[in-house]
């Protein structure tokens, strides 16, 4: 079988487009679990590798509504585990604002509940507004990545505390747990001190899958060392190839092979039966962007308040703050390259928060995804529908079959766990 | 309609009896979600008010297996929300080892997912072994209760940040959230600093239900001020009446009525078709207690290492440590009153961890529960089956119908939310 594409579904509230909820017929409530369950079932019908939930840790009522108002990812995914049977379930939890003992056990628990479909998207939380909800000070970028590295090591170590055969449950002898097969961690590092063992047995996947998205240099190093799946933010194929090659080249230094890390650039597909219909749909969506929301979103992505600048002026010469998203670099360089006005930049950011927008017929979209996939730019894609449900069902019903006809995408799930879908083996505990 | 009894189901891993998993035919895996889903469906068939999960934050492979190995409560309850439709879903989260922003949002999320069935059992975590998993020092009893009081206030405040009508979602105007109807909390207290608002809209129940079990003086004051349901640990009806009256008497000082707090003593029912059969079943269970497990569990409940004492000697004159459970006081006073040997005490503790064991035919059990319920000892019961499934299905199939025949228990759910089941109104946000 030729190499197969991997697909993730990114669920961000009312759709990734800032105004997706205004599209005619769109789902407008994202605290309605039944709507989310329908989205998950659609993704599973489309044989996606995984569903993936973002997160943030503050509410700004003036910003993107999906940032401000959402179900908490772990409870939502645990509930989705029971209404799906094969698709992977990934949730974002911050390494800056959570503790490793709790993170290790919730993802192990999700892995047990879902029979091996859990994934943790480890983020460091870029938005400094989170700190005020946790009574603390937002650590700077470098320190957040130092914490993240240690945090990931601790969580991995906790996942390895229980041998696979530690639970004996021998009713005759009365031995339930064999203490010799349960190991403390005894971690004491610069940021965390965690004794262990964790109070949940070894996960069906051994270790739940780890996702990461950091685009900075420390983010790329951390991903090369610890991630199974990397979401990337890119706008053009050349840039995607360079980033892909750079990440894969880093793996050997950590004793890892290229097949062990799946790189999925984010893409917002706007699908129409024809290219014209697709562009007309995008125009409808862009027409809904309100300048205040657009600027608030741009300010959030850049980490700089942009409300004072002239919308019809050039992109101001702004230094990136320490808290910037990797989006910021990608977007600013594109905007300067293409001589955009501030209005163009916020429109682009509002569309997909800096991610690549791919607009066209199923053939056009499949052609482009195929080119990226076969020429070293991607192992698959993190699909970010602009709105739900039609903005996603069109991808599943029109684009997926086209990818399958080309032999690029599975026609059934071959395995049962997310590791199976990604072609990853089940790791033995490291001691 | 006469006053109705309330019933909660306490799920502790392999059953509340330390050796319940050894009972012939018992469920032995408690990381198997399908078994837990079956238990939840049985409880809903029995029209229970709620299911309730304990928790602990450390693993001791030598202790009660259900303490050491379990699914994480929030992920487990969220998954149970989708396989049940009416029963309340309560989970334990510690006010000593969690943060209020995260706790407020997970329970609000569970309340949205379950359409108004979430409950938080707020505990302070008695076992000092938790601290080593969080890189911290276990606060003393008084400090834990001071923290808990502030923690509960912050969580309540976060639940009140969003007005019911804050989500406008007006596609025509583009207004999704009305910022005037979302309020910051701006809490800055002795232990927590939390700005808010929380990033999830107002819960279906307004505020999820709050459960508590603290039996100490600060625990009782906290419960009187903040709890909707109180689980109590009692061994005799006289003691239960005194405790019930004392708690209800405290409510007026906090501007609350007696009907606003439901008191549920814990009870482990051992049901047989006859009293003889029930006692024979208890004897089988007690015969499975292993002295090392029995002593480890007793040590855990008392907060003192009991392994060095003579099993056939009297109860040693031990001072209670600062970290004791309320179980400890109840059990030690009973043991001294009844002149028990250490072996008797650990057998009793192993049976139900210090809770009341009620053994008999459906008539005997209903008689006793009715007496407690009608003479000021209880508003209902927290049912702790010794093992699953038969140790619980017998209660649902034999005892519940007897309670219904006597007009003491509902014959159908009248409402849809846990507040409905408990007769509690939906609170307006406090500003």
């Amino acid at each position: 079988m030729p190499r197969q594409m991997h697909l993730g579904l990114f669920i961000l509230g009312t759709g990734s487009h800032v105004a997706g909820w205004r599209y005619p017929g769109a789902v407008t409530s994202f605290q309605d679990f039944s709507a989310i369950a329908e989205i998950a079932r659609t993704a599973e019908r489309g044989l996606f590798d995984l569903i993936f939930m973002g997160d943030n840790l503050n509410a700004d009522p003036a910003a993107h509504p999906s940032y401000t108002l959402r179900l908490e990812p772990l409870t939502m995914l645990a509930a989705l585990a029971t209404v799906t049977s094969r698709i992977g379930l990934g949730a974002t939890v911050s390494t800056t604002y959570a503790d490793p003992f709790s993170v290790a056990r919730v993802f192990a628990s999700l892995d047990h509940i879902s029979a091996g479909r859990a994934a943790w998207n480890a983020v460091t939380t870029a938005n400094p507004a989170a700190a005020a909800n946790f009574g603390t000070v937002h650590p700077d970028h470098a320190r957040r990545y130092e914490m993240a590295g240690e945090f990931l090591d601790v969580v991995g170590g906790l996942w390895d505390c229980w041998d696979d055969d530690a639970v004996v449950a021998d009713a005759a002898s009365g031995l339930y747990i064999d203490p010799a097969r349960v190991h403390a961690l005894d971690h004491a590092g610069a940021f965390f001190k965690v004794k262990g063992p964790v109070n949940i047995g070894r996960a069906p996947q051994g270790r739940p899958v780890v996702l990461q998205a950091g685009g900075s240099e420390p983010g790329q190093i951390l991903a090369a060392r610890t991630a199974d799946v990397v979401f990337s933010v890119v706008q053009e194929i050349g840039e995607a190839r360079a980033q892909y090659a750079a990440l894969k080249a880093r793996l050997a230094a950590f004793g890892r092979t290229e097949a062990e890390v799946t790189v999925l650039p984010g893409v917002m597909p706007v699908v129409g039966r024809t290219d014209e219909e697709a562009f007309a749909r995008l125009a409808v969506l862009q027409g809904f962007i309100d300048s205040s929301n657009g600027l608030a979103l741009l300010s959030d992505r850049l980490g700089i308040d942009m409300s004072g600048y002239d919308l019809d002026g050039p992109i101001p010469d702004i230094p990136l703050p320490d808290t910037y998203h990797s989006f910021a670099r990608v977007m600013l360089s594109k905007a300067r390259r293409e001589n955009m006005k501030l209005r163009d930049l916020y429109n682009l950011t509002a569309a997909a928060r800096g991610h690549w927008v791919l607009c066209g017929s199923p053939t056009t979209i499949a052609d482009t995804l195929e080119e990226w996939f076969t020429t070293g730019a991607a192992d698959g894609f993190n699909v970010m529908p602009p709105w739900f449900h039609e903005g996603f069902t069109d991808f599943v019903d029109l684009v997926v079959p086209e990818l399958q006809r080309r032999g690029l995408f599975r026609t059934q799930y071959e395995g049962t766990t997310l590791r199976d879908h990604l072609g990853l083996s089940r790791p033995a505990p490291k001691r």
Side-chain angles (χ1 to χ4, degrees), chain A residues 3-8 49-50 209-213 220 223-224 226-232 243-244 247-248 251 256-266 373 377-382 409-410 418-425:
Chain A
R3 174 170 160 261
Q4 296 285 291
M5 199 180 270
H6 299 284
L7 293 178
D49 293 69
L50 78 160
V209 168
V210 171
L211 320 175
Q212 274 168 53
Q220 292 288 297
T226 63
D228 302 304
V229 177
V230 173
F231 299 133
S232 63
Q243 213 180 91
Y244 182 96
L247 181 68
K248 298 273 180 172
L251 297 172
R256 308 180 73 197
T257 65
E258 295 202 4
E260 287 178 60
V261 180
T262 302
V263 176
L264 305 180
F373 178 64
D379 294 317
F381 301 92
N382 187 24
F409 189 61
R410 66 172 68 88
L418 177 55
R419 285 188 173 271
D420 291 340
H421 307 336
L422 295 169
L424 298 172
S425 61

Side-chain angles (χ1 to χ4, degrees), chain A residues 167-218:
Chain A
V167 180
V168 180
D170 179 15
S173 71
L175 187 70
Y176 193 89
I177 295 161
D178 179 354
R181 300 180 198 168
V182 184
H183 311 271
L185 180 66
D186 288 325
H187 173 89
F191 300 101
F192 305 104
K193 225 180 133 182
V194 182
K195 185 161 190 283
V198 70
N199 52 349
I200 183 166
R202 189 155 174 83
Q205 294 187 99
R207 288 180 170 204
V209 168
V210 171
L211 320 175
Q212 274 168 53
S216 66
E217 175 72 10

Side-chain angles (χ1 to χ4, degrees), chain A residues 32 46 67 129 173 179 245 282 392 394 396:
Chain A
D32 174 5
Y67 281 16
S173 71
L282 180 59
F392 181 46
D394 278 353
V396 167

Side-chain angles (χ1 to χ4, degrees), chain A residues 14-297:
Chain A
T14 49
S16 272
H17 193 286
V18 71
W21 65 277
R22 297 177 71 181
Y23 198 88
V27 170
T28 56
S29 167
F30 261 77
Q31 298 183 136
D32 174 5
F33 178 72
S34 62
I36 295 163
E38 186 178 335
I39 292 166
R41 285 193 203 99
T42 302
E44 192 163 72
R45 177 162 66 75
L47 304 173
F48 274 51
D49 293 69
L50 78 160
I51 301 163
F52 157 58
M53 319 290 315
D55 196 24
N56 68 337
L57 298 172
N58 69 298
D60 174 3
H64 192 316
S66 306
Y67 281 16
T68 302
L69 192 78
R70 60 167 100 207
L71 296 178
E72 182 277 332
L74 261 298
T75 40
M76 181 167 152
L77 282 189
L80 287 178
T82 66
V83 301
T84 56
S85 62
R86 292 294 190 95
I87 198 164
L89 304 163
T92 298
V93 176
S94 172
T95 54
T96 305
Y97 295 101
D99 74 88
F101 188 83
S102 302
V103 168
R105 74 188 290 235
V106 289
F107 282 100
S109 186
L110 181 64
D111 209 47
H112 281 285
I113 291 169
S114 65
R117 298 186 285 136
W120 169 33
N121 180 41
V123 302
T124 69
T125 303
N127 193 330
N133 290 325
F134 294 85
T136 185
V137 173
H138 194 60
D140 69 23
H141 189 274
R143 189 175 171 87
R144 291 205 311 277
Y145 274 91
E146 284 166 34
M147 290 173 71
E150 187 180 329
F151 196 116
L152 276 147
D153 291 340
V154 174
V155 169
L158 288 170
W159 283 335
D160 285 352
C161 285
W162 290 67
D163 291 349
D164 282 314
D165 53 3
V167 180
V168 180
D170 179 15
S173 71
L175 187 70
Y176 193 89
I177 295 161
D178 179 354
R181 300 180 198 168
V182 184
H183 311 271
L185 180 66
D186 288 325
H187 173 89
F191 300 101
F192 305 104
K193 225 180 133 182
V194 182
K195 185 161 190 283
V198 70
N199 52 349
I200 183 166
R202 189 155 174 83
Q205 294 187 99
R207 288 180 170 204
V209 168
V210 171
L211 320 175
Q212 274 168 53
S216 66
E217 175 72 10
Q220 292 288 297
I221 293 169
L222 184 65
R225 184 168 76 80
T226 63
D228 302 304
V229 177
V230 173
F231 299 133
S232 63
V233 189
V234 278
Q235 288 283 340
E236 270 106 20
I237 191 167
E239 187 187 357
R241 284 183 192 133
Q243 213 180 91
Y244 182 96
L247 181 68
K248 298 273 180 172
R250 291 184 194 268
L251 297 172
F254 299 105
R256 308 180 73 197
T257 65
E258 295 202 4
E260 287 178 60
V261 180
T262 302
V263 176
L264 305 180
V267 57
M268 179 191 283
V270 182
V271 186
R273 272 154 302 175
T274 61
D275 286 351
E276 292 67 34
E277 188 182 61
F279 278 96
R281 286 177 159 187
L282 180 59
V284 169
L285 285 164
Q286 294 298 86
F288 285 134
I289 299 171
D290 161 273
S291 62
S292 63
N293 264 353
L295 275 175
L297 185 67

Side-chain angles (χ1 to χ4, degrees), chain A residues 285-359:
Chain A
L285 285 164
Q286 294 298 86
F288 285 134
I289 299 171
D290 161 273
S291 62
S292 63
N293 264 353
L295 275 175
L297 185 67
L298 182 63
S299 303
D300 174 77
R301 301 313 281 177
L302 296 179
I304 300 168
D305 179 4
M306 299 298 290
S307 59
Y309 291 98
D310 175 13
L311 284 184
D312 294 307
I315 308 300
D317 188 20
I318 41 176
L320 283 178
D322 174 68
T323 53
Y324 72 93
H325 292 257
S326 52
F327 297 77
R329 252 189 311 103
V330 173
M331 297 305 292
L332 281 179
S333 72
K334 179 182 169 83
R336 288 183 178 131
R337 197 165 58 232
E338 298 183 9
N339 223 356
M340 288 185 186
K341 302 217 179 307
L342 187 55
R343 187 184 303 276
D344 303 321
L345 180 60
Y346 88 58
N347 273 325
L348 192 67
T349 307
R353 301 174 305 125
H355 283 284
W356 173 37
V357 179
L358 174 57
C359 192

